[in-house]
């Protein structure tokens, strides 16, 4: 589109029939603030377009965020559009106070034994390559902590068995994992909203032509919906407060929700919600009278679905056939809220123990952004501090299996004794002459040493590899 629009051969009257308006979303801390929006506006104007409004430049740095520009711009845009294209007689604008109907209607049904909470992991159609709509239920083989118990961070090397999945991948590819909410959070959510987790329902679209959510079985239990579909741990957006406000019958709570929904209340909303990373479930706890009155059919409009998480694959099929390994840091941090914040996917994966019975995880593979050279003599310089080393472990395993020797790895962590991932593996490859390894342990001495210091120290070698041997450089982490 961009290349076409900037063709020199386009006549200056190309867009003389077009009314247009441009809203840019940017961040004024960048030198080319809203560059694309400005350039697009200028070019459409050049080609004869007629601007309905001056170009609007949303700025993330504004106290109210981009909403400071978006809100008045949207109001002005609709005024202009309605002046140009008035509504037919008998039709009126829907007032902002009117609650729109839900996208789906929810109908409770009698218990149906054909639906179980395991439906997300049902066998796929024969020969279908695993994908987001048809993940493969991979068996977790091992879940091993690779940092010292005394280390502040819990990092896991997790292995999955993908036998029979038809999945293939190369170094640099990514495994997508579909996480789920914890049973405790699901139970709390159902209690708060007065939902029976074991009730079955079917969804019907409110308007013909609306597709049903692809990842939900029909019929389905409330427990399945909350466990596998609704992202009750995400930080809610402004639209969540707008809809919640329209559903609230409690005057005090509605006033507060109204404030959070307004342009003027965005700073307060940021302090309440985004800064401390307050989850949707925690927000609902703060508005109990509203929460218990939410009609079940609005849940899918109110709460987004759980998105899959991407992990660099940390192993090669040439070394571990029918296996995928990932190197994963368990996300946990403190904010001013008393309860530590936890990453949904990493916390869930870390809690699974294949030694206590079979564990299955829905996953599929996507092509990654890193492609390693196919020419055998090309040296590869890899810079992977922390868990950033994961894709390089896959690459080194693959290259060594193919007999490629020009592997150069810069690895950095805090302490050699606590978070030096895959130490024995690297050292063995160094001994065999397959790997040049440069390590930086930032806290093992008075002065902090990082990978950039090791790169500078070995500048001569790197320049030699780059200038004379056409080395490729990769950075992850």
């Amino acid at each position: 589109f961009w290349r076409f629009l900037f063709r020199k051969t386009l006549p200056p009257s190309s867009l003389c029939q077009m009314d247009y308006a441009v809203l840019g979303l940017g961040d004024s801390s960048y030198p080319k603030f809203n560059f694309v929006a400005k350039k697009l506006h200028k070019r459409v104007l050049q080609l004869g377009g007629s601007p309905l409004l001056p170009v609007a430049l949303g700025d993330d740095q504004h106290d109210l965020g981009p909403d400071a520009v978006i809100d008045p711009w949207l109001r002005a845009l609709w005024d202009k559009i309605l002046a140009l294209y008035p509504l037919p007689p008998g039709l009126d604008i829907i007032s902002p106070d009117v609650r729109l109907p839900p996208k789906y209607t929810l109908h409770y049904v009698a218990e149906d034994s054909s639906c179980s909470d395991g439906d997300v992991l049902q066998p796929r159609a024969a020969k279908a390559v695993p994908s987001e709509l048809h993940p493969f239920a991979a068996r977790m083989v091992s879940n091993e902590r690779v940092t010292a118990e005394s280390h502040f961070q819990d990092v896991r090397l997790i292995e999955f068995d993908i036998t029979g999945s038809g999945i293939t991948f190369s170094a640099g590819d990514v495994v997508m994992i579909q996480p789920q909410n914890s049973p405790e959070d699901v139970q709390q959510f159902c209690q708060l909203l007065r939902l029976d987790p074991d009730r079955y329902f079917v969804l019907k679209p409110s308007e013909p032509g609306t597709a049903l959510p692809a990842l939900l079985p029909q019929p389905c239990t409330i427990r399945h919906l909350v466990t596998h579909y609704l992202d009750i741990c995400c930080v809610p957006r402004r639209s969540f407060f707008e809809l919640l406000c329209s559903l609230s019958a409690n005057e005090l709570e509605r006033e507060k929700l109204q404030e959070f929904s307004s342009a003027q209340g965005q700073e307060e909303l940021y302090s309440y919600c985004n800064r401390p990373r307050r989850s949707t479930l925690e927000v609902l706890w703060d508005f109990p009278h509203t929460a218990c009155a939410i009609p079940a059919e609005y849940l899918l409009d109110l709460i987004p679905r759980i998105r899959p998480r991407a992990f660099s694959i940390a192993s090669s099929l040439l070394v571990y056939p029918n296996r995928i390994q990932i190197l994963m840091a368990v996300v946990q941090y403190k904010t001013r809220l008393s309860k530590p914040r936890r990453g949904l996917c990493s916390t869930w994966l870390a809690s699974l123990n294949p030694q206590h019975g079979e564990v299955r995880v829905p996953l599929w593979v996507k092509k990654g952004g890193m492609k390693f050279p196919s020419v055998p003599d090309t040296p590869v310089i890899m810079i992977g501090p922390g868990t950033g080393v994961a894709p390089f472990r896959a690459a080194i395993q693959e290259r060594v299996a193919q007999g490629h020797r020009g592997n150069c790895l810069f690895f950095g962590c805090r302490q050699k004794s606590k978070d030096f991932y895959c130490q024995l593996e690297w050292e063995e490859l160094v001994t065999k002459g397959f790997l040049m390894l440069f390590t930086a342990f930032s806290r093992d001495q008075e002065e902090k040493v990082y990978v950039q210091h090791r790169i500078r120290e070995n500048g001569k070698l790197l320049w030699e590899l780059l200038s004379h041997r056409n080395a490729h450089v990769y950075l992850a982490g």
Side-chain angles (χ1 to χ4, degrees), residues 101-107 201-206 212 218 296-297:
K103 198 171 180 183
Y104 308 103
T105 53
L106 185 143
H107 304 270
F201 67 88
V202 290
L203 288 178
K204 295 197 174 136
S206 298
L212 289 169
Q218 292 265 49
E297 50 249 37

Side-chain angles (χ1 to χ4, degrees), residues 117-385:
D117 278 358
D119 275 3
V120 76
L121 297 178
Q122 285 303 301
R124 293 169 358 272
K127 292 190 182 150
V129 176
S131 63
E132 185 161 4
L133 293 181
H134 303 284
F136 177 70
R139 182 175 64 85
M140 185 185 277
V141 178
S142 60
N143 184 351
E144 176 199 348
R145 180 172 172 140
V146 290
T147 43
E149 286 299 330
S150 58
H151 191 56
F152 78 101
Q153 194 171 39
D154 179 356
V155 175
R156 305 295 178 96
L157 183 65
I158 301 177
E159 183 172 319
F160 302 101
D161 182 352
I162 53 166
T163 305
S165 66
I167 289 175
T168 60
F169 59 87
S170 314
D173 287 349
V174 166
V175 62
M176 306 298 293
I177 292 178
Q178 183 66 47
Q180 60 187 55
N181 292 307
S182 71
E184 303 81 60
D185 285 351
V186 171
Q187 189 186 351
Q188 274 192 17
F189 182 86
C190 290
Q191 276 176 354
L192 194 58
L193 275 75
R194 299 187 183 167
L195 295 166
D196 174 358
D198 298 315
R199 283 206 69 182
Y200 282 81
F201 67 88
V202 290
L203 288 178
K204 295 197 174 136
S206 298
E207 289 188 21
T210 304
L212 289 169
L215 295 161
L216 276 183
Q218 292 265 49
C220 177
T221 62
I222 292 287
R223 188 191 310 280
H224 185 101
L225 172 74
V226 184
T227 304
H228 297 287
Y229 195 84
L230 298 179
D231 197 351
I232 59 175
C233 290
C234 71
V235 177
R237 296 171 159 224
R238 179 178 167 186
S239 54
F240 168 89
F241 291 92
E242 285 171 3
L243 181 52
L244 202 58
C245 178
S246 75
L247 297 168
S248 179
N250 179 280
E251 200 179 331
L252 263 177
E253 290 184 4
R254 193 170 63 247
E255 262 179 41
K256 194 69 194 163
L257 290 165
Q258 223 155 8
E259 189 183 338
F260 284 156
S261 309
S262 69
Q264 299 72 34
Q266 288 315 286
E267 212 170 323
E268 197 172 337
L269 176 60
Y270 189 84
S271 299
Y272 166 73
C273 206
N274 301 66
R275 192 170 285 127
R277 311 297 297 163
R278 201 181 295 268
S279 72
T280 295
L281 180 57
E282 289 168 327
V283 169
L284 292 170
W285 273 115
D286 286 346
F287 295 90
H289 299 94
T290 305
C292 70
I294 295 171
E297 50 249 37
Y298 275 100
L299 287 176
L300 285 101
D301 295 83
L302 195 61
I303 302 170
R305 77 173 179 86
I306 300 173
R307 295 279 167 194
R309 306 313 202 246
F311 294 91
S312 292
I313 296 174
S315 59
S316 165
L317 282 173
L318 299 178
V319 177
Y320 295 96
N322 292 319
R323 295 282 196 267
I324 285 180
Q325 294 183 353
I326 61 170
L327 192 64
M328 176 196 81
V330 181
V331 177
Q332 183 179 334
Y333 56 95
K334 284 289 293 174
T335 65
R336 62 182 172 77
L337 300 178
S338 57
K339 199 176 166 193
R341 308 291 88 194
R342 296 177 189 277
L344 173 67
C345 190
S346 63
T347 304
W348 171 62
L349 285 175
S351 74
L352 303 174
N353 188 341
Q355 292 173 338
H356 294 166
E358 188 172 85
V359 173
R360 297 263 171 185
V361 170
L363 54 77
W364 63 99
V365 163
K366 280 172 83 169
K367 275 273 152 251
M370 285 189 194
K371 301 226 176 340
F372 292 89
S374 49
V375 180
D377 298 341
T378 310
V380 173
I381 299 163
M382 295 161 278
I383 305 152

